[in-house]
Amino acid sequence: MKTLEAQVITSEELLKHWQGHRALTRNVIEAFPEKDFFEFSIGGMRPFAKLADELLAIAAPALKSIVNRDVQPYTEGTEKLIFKAQYLEKWDEATEEINKYWEKLSIEDFNQNFNLFGQYEFPIIQNILYFIDNEVHHRGQGYVYLRALNIEPPFFWER
Amino acid sequence: MKTLEAQVITSEELLKHWQGHRALTRNVIEAFPEKDFFEFSIGGMRPFAKLADELLAIAAPALKSIVNRDVQPYTEGTEKLIFKAQYLEKWDEATEEINKYWEKLSIEDFNQNFNLFGQYEFPIIQNILYFIDNEVHHRGQGYVYLRALNIEPPFFWER
């Protein structure tokens, strides 16, 4: 049940905020040359493809598991993707899934606890903010990779 | 006036979330060797001291300007800081200022528009989320600098 009381942020706005970030991350994936997406790294960190594996392993599967209150272990890279185009396809599938599952979240859900991946027992709002922050964090790393490759990254404020 | 209706996130939780990120960024500043904080960079990007200048120029001044509905231009590095310890001191002052001004935000304020720095006319919640995202983004860049310097960054989830 929706309330008409004043909200710091509405559920719809938070979804839009998240999907805006995801659209930007998609542009960052696109900006990488094919080879560098899978191979380039700095200081022993993961290449951007591995970071994208993590982001894909979190977003849609985590939200599904939250909505269904079905604790599932974290599993990354169950399907081995070898082309950037496959990542973009998975990214777009996840976008649709997130939109679909988000509709099932009620405003009362956000403050309920959920043990995400059987490891992170927090209110659902904190889990969701973590997904976003984690994506912004890793994407920030991607920006440095692109700059080091002499590629202009997308504007941060373009979502 | 506070409401008892269900919230996606409360004002208090959002402040805690932001200050948690700011505490982590403070740890990242601390992790840099003095010289590298001011000089190290990758791919022509700004050294972390310059990124910290930006973060300091946004957080407390922006919130103050929002709370007072007093449009002020963006001004960075009005005071030239030359030691990391000065940054940490300014950081802590900003932490207190943010806490102080945050108390003056009512829940109804978040959806009102404000023309931040005379440039960004958005609902206040969007401006505040932008401060947080921008900090997470730049801090993610700082993580790459630290890794490239062979320094273990603080854990991302430690706030």
Side-chain angles (χ1 to χ4, degrees):
Chain A
M1 205 188 81
K2 293 281 150 55
T3 167
L4 292 172
E5 291 296 316
Q7 289 282 327
V8 171
I9 188 167
T10 65
S11 171
E12 290 76 8
E13 286 163 350
L14 184 58
L15 172 63
K16 198 174 159 209
H17 180 73
W18 187 15
Q19 293 287 27
H21 273 302
R22 293 188 69 263
L24 177 58
T25 306
R26 191 186 194 284
N27 290 341
V28 169
I29 294 173
E30 282 204 297
F32 273 89
E34 187 78 28
K35 186 176 151 65
D36 294 317
F37 180 65
F38 292 96
E39 295 178 11
F40 184 80
S41 88
I42 291 175
M45 298 179 84
R46 288 170 285 174
F48 205 68
K50 296 296 285 177
L51 298 176
D53 280 336
E54 179 183 309
L55 301 178
L56 285 169
I58 294 174
L63 187 62
K64 180 180 178 183
S65 145
I66 284 172
V67 166
N68 295 334
R69 297 297 197 280
D70 172 28
V71 178
Q72 290 290 334
Y74 177 78
T75 44
E76 190 178 307
T78 37
E79 214 177 331
K80 180 91 183 131
L81 310 178
I82 56 169
F83 299 110
K84 231 177 64 174
Q86 295 174 304
Y87 278 85
L88 295 172
E89 201 186 317
K90 290 281 164 199
W91 201 265
D92 294 338
E93 285 170 19
T95 302
E96 293 308 310
E97 275 198 82
I98 289 166
N99 286 341
K100 188 182 79 180
Y101 287 110
W102 193 274
E103 276 186 27
K104 301 184 181 162
L105 279 179
S106 76
I107 198 161
E108 289 79 14
D109 284 329
F110 289 96
N111 281 294
Q112 291 179 14
N113 270 20
F114 181 70
N115 190 17
L116 186 70
F117 302 131
Q119 289 184 76
Y120 308 101
E121 173 90 37
F122 292 112
I124 286 168
I125 178 64
Q126 282 189 36
N127 275 318
I128 291 170
L129 291 177
Y130 190 88
F131 307 161
I132 301 173
D133 294 339
N134 185 56
E135 177 167 340
V136 177
H137 172 71
H138 285 315
R139 191 180 57 215
Q141 300 173 351
Y143 271 62
V144 186
Y145 291 5
L146 288 173
R147 288 279 181 198
L149 289 164
N150 211 19
I151 294 164
E152 179 95 21
F155 291 120
F156 179 63
W157 54 88
E158 265 179 22
R159 306 284 163 84
Chain B
M1 204 189 82
K2 292 284 149 53
T3 168
L4 292 172
E5 290 298 315
Q7 289 282 326
V8 171
I9 188 167
T10 65
S11 170
E12 290 76 10
E13 285 162 350
L14 184 57
L15 173 63
K16 198 174 159 207
H17 181 72
W18 187 14
Q19 293 285 28
H21 274 302
R22 295 187 68 263
L24 176 57
T25 306
R26 190 187 195 284
N27 290 341
V28 169
I29 295 173
E30 281 205 298
F32 273 89
E34 187 79 27
K35 186 177 151 65
D36 293 316
F37 179 65
F38 292 95
E39 296 177 11
F40 185 80
S41 87
I42 291 175
M45 299 179 82
R46 288 170 286 175
F48 205 68
K50 295 297 285 177
L51 298 176
D53 280 337
E54 179 184 311
L55 300 178
L56 285 169
I58 295 175
L63 186 62
K64 179 179 177 184
S65 144
I66 284 172
V67 167
N68 294 335
R69 297 296 196 281
D70 172 27
V71 178
Q72 290 290 332
Y74 177 78
T75 43
E76 190 178 307
T78 37
E79 215 177 330
K80 180 94 183 127
L81 310 177
I82 55 169
F83 299 111
K84 230 177 62 174
Q86 294 175 304
Y87 278 85
L88 294 172
E89 201 185 317
K90 290 282 165 200
W91 201 264
D92 294 339
E93 286 170 18
T95 302
E96 293 307 311
E97 275 198 82
I98 290 166
N99 286 341
K100 188 182 79 181
Y101 286 111
W102 193 274
E103 276 187 28
K104 300 183 183 164
L105 278 180
S106 76
I107 199 161
E108 289 79 12
D109 285 329
F110 289 95
N111 282 294
Q112 292 179 13
N113 270 21
F114 181 70
N115 190 16
L116 187 70
F117 302 131
Q119 289 184 77
Y120 308 101
E121 173 89 36
F122 292 112
I124 287 168
I125 178 64
Q126 283 189 35
N127 275 319
I128 291 170
L129 290 177
Y130 189 87
F131 308 160
I132 300 173
D133 294 340
N134 184 56
E135 176 166 341
V136 176
H137 172 71
H138 286 315
R139 191 181 58 214
Q141 300 173 349
Y143 271 63
V144 186
Y145 291 4
L146 288 173
R147 288 281 182 198
L149 289 164
N150 210 19
I151 293 164
E152 178 95 23
F155 291 120
F156 180 63
W157 55 87
E158 265 180 22
R159 306 286 161 83

